[in-house]
Amino acid sequence: MNDHDHTPTQPLNDRSAPGAVIPLVLDQPRLSPREIVQDMMDAVARFAALAALVQLGVPQVLEARSLSADEVAVRCKADPDAMAHLLSVVHAYGFVNLDGAGGYALTALGGTLLPDAEDSMWAAISVTGSPLWWDAAATLDLTIQQGHPAVFDEVRGGLYGVLADSNLADRFDRFMADRARPVARALAALDYTGVATLVDLGGGNGGILAAIMEANAQVKGVLVERPDVAARAEFHLASRGLGPRCEMIHGDLFTTDCPTGERIILSSVLHNYPDDQAIEILSRAADGLRRAGPGAALWCIEGLLPPPGVYTPVVDRHARMLAMFNGGAERTLLHYRRLMKAVGLELSRNQSLAPDQELMIAHLAA
C-alpha cells in the first residue's frame, strides 16, 4: 500500500449541522471583484472533481463500506495517488467523511450521487460531465458569434437529434426524470376535479403523468413525445401499471395536433425553443384547450428569470440554454405572458411549485 497522507483537511464550513452547504459567493457582497471572478473560475474545477467522482463509480464503491484511498483506487481501476487527491478534494466539500484509520465513507450529501437514491443527482452529473456538454460550454464564444450552438449540427436535429444517436440517451432520460420528480410530486397533490383527460406535451418518460395518474384514479393520460422517447415512456408507464389508462402518441410538438384535454401540461419544454417556435407549441396547445371546452387550462412549468442584475440558479440555466439549444432561453414571467397572449391565452395566475420552478396557469382569453 502506498504511504498516502490521510490527514483530514479542514472543511470549508461546519458540517456538524445537517444540510450545511457552501454558500454561493454571489450571496457574499463583502467579497472583492477578484474573489468573485476567482470563485467562478474555481467552479469549473469543482464540478470536474464531482463529475470524475461519478464517472469513476466512487459513490457505488463507498455505498455500504468505509475504504482507504488505495482500496477505492483498486476497485475503480485508478491511480492510487490521484484517487487520494480526488478524495481529499470531495472530502473538503462534504461528499465523504474520513475516519481516524484513513477510511473514506459516503455522507448523506454523497449519497445523492448514487444512481438509485431517492433524489439522485447521478444522471444529472453524468450527462453534464459528458464530452458533449463540456464541448458546448467550451465553445460558448463561438456559439455567441454564430448565433447557434457550435457543437450541434442542426441538420441532425440539434441536441435532441445528437442525443438520439449517442450513448447518452438513456442517461439523459434519467436526468430529465430525476429533475422532474419534485415537480411531479407537487403537481400530483393539486386539484384535478373535473379533469378526465390530462395531456403531457413533451413529457419525457412519463414521470409527471404517472405521478398525477397514480394520485388521481379518474384521470386518463395522453403523452406526446418523439418516437425514440415515446417507446421508452411506454415501457415506463406500463411498468407502473398505467398502460391501460394512458395513450402514447409518437410525434413532435410542431407537426402533431395537440390532443384534447381538460388539462394540458408543458413542463420544461418552452425554454428549449426560440420565441417563434414556443408560440407554435402554445398555439397547438390552445387548440387542444378549445376542443376541451370551458374550464380547460394549460399548466406551464418553467424556471423564471429574476429581475435584471439579480442572481438565482435560473441565471446559470439561462447560460446553459444558450450553449445547448438554438434559440432556447429562460424567460421572465412577463415574457411568458406575452407569448401566451399571442395565441389567445391569458395567464391567470402563477405559483411556486418546486425549487426554481414556477407553475403558470393559463386559460383561453374571453
Side-chain angles (χ1 to χ4, degrees):
M1 180 178 290
N2 293 336
D3 185 19
H4 299 309
D5 179 7
H6 291 300
T7 304
T9 54
Q10 179 65 35
L12 294 179
N13 61 347
D14 179 11
R15 290 186 178 78
S16 59
V21 296
I22 301 162
L24 290 164
V25 294
L26 293 174
D27 291 331
Q28 301 178 25
R30 290 176 296 178
L31 292 175
S32 70
R34 283 183 59 87
E35 288 171 320
I36 292 174
V37 172
Q38 185 64 53
D39 185 84
M40 293 181 73
M41 293 167 56
D42 291 342
V44 178
R46 286 199 295 269
F47 177 70
L50 191 60
L53 198 73
V54 166
Q55 289 160 345
L56 291 169
V58 175
Q60 292 93 313
V61 167
L62 294 176
E63 181 175 4
R65 63 185 73 83
S66 176
L67 297 173
S68 70
D70 285 322
E71 291 169 325
V72 175
V74 169
R75 286 166 172 78
C76 295
K77 298 181 174 61
D79 177 81
D81 291 308
M83 180 58 72
H85 190 159
L86 174 63
L87 289 170
S88 72
V89 170
V90 296
H91 172 240
Y93 286 98
F95 289 96
V96 295
N97 280 331
L98 180 60
D99 61 32
Y104 287 94
L106 277 186
T107 62
L109 176 61
T112 65
L113 308 182
L114 293 167
D116 297 324
E118 181 179 356
D119 289 313
S120 175
M121 293 295 290
W122 174 85
I125 295 166
S126 181
V127 171
T128 308
S130 69
L132 195 64
W133 257 247
W134 278 113
D135 289 348
T139 56
L140 183 57
D141 56 339
L142 182 56
T143 290
I144 293 170
Q145 284 183 322
Q146 64 188 25
H148 58 83
V151 298
F152 302 125
D153 181 359
E154 291 302 317
V155 174
R156 294 174 61 198
L159 172 62
Y160 288 129
V162 172
L163 280 172
D165 294 334
S166 75
N167 59 4
L168 279 177
D170 287 342
R171 279 180 287 170
F172 184 79
D173 280 355
R174 288 196 59 172
F175 177 15
M176 293 296 99
D178 291 343
R179 183 172 180 269
R181 195 167 289 118
V183 171
R185 286 196 293 259
L187 285 174
L190 299 180
D191 183 14
Y192 292 86
T193 302
V195 177
T197 302
L198 185 145
V199 178
D200 193 350
L201 299 177
N205 76 342
I208 288 177
L209 193 58
I212 294 171
M213 292 170 65
E214 287 170 345
N216 299 272
Q218 85 283 4
V219 174
K220 293 184 178 180
V222 182
L223 182 67
V224 180
E225 257 297 359
R226 301 185 316 279
D228 58 309
V229 179
R232 297 192 291 272
E234 195 164 10
F235 176 82
H236 174 247
L237 289 162
S239 72
R240 294 171 70 160
L242 297 170
R245 289 171 54 199
C246 187
E247 178 185 358
M248 194 70 54
I249 296 180
H250 296 219
D252 68 66
L253 301 180
F254 301 104
T255 62
T256 302
D257 289 338
C258 177
T260 302
E262 293 82 14
R263 193 78 78 248
I264 296 175
I265 290 179
L266 282 167
S267 181
S268 295
V269 169
L270 296 181
H271 72 164
N272 294 337
Y273 301 101
D275 282 0
D276 59 337
Q277 291 183 307
I279 286 174
E280 174 63 23
I281 294 169
L282 286 169
S283 177
R284 290 177 177 273
D287 289 341
L289 295 179
R290 288 188 185 93
R291 290 191 299 272
L298 171 68
W299 285 6
C300 182
I301 301 98
E302 296 283 357
L304 296 181
L305 276 177
V310 175
Y311 173 82
T312 72
V314 180
V315 173
D316 294 331
R317 294 206 297 270
H318 192 44
R320 186 179 305 142
M321 300 307 294
L322 178 62
M324 305 298 292
F325 292 93
N326 189 4
E330 305 296 348
R331 299 176 171 96
T332 63
L333 181 63
L334 178 60
H335 197 153
Y336 279 114
R337 188 187 300 275
R338 288 200 299 262
L339 294 179
M340 291 176 184
K341 185 177 180 180
V343 301
L345 292 171
E346 183 178 353
L347 180 56
S348 55
R349 66 185 177 93
N350 61 285
Q351 66 186 67
S352 178
L353 193 67
D356 302 309
Q357 292 289 300
E358 195 81 1
L359 169 61
M360 296 172 281
I361 300 176
H363 298 83
L364 292 169

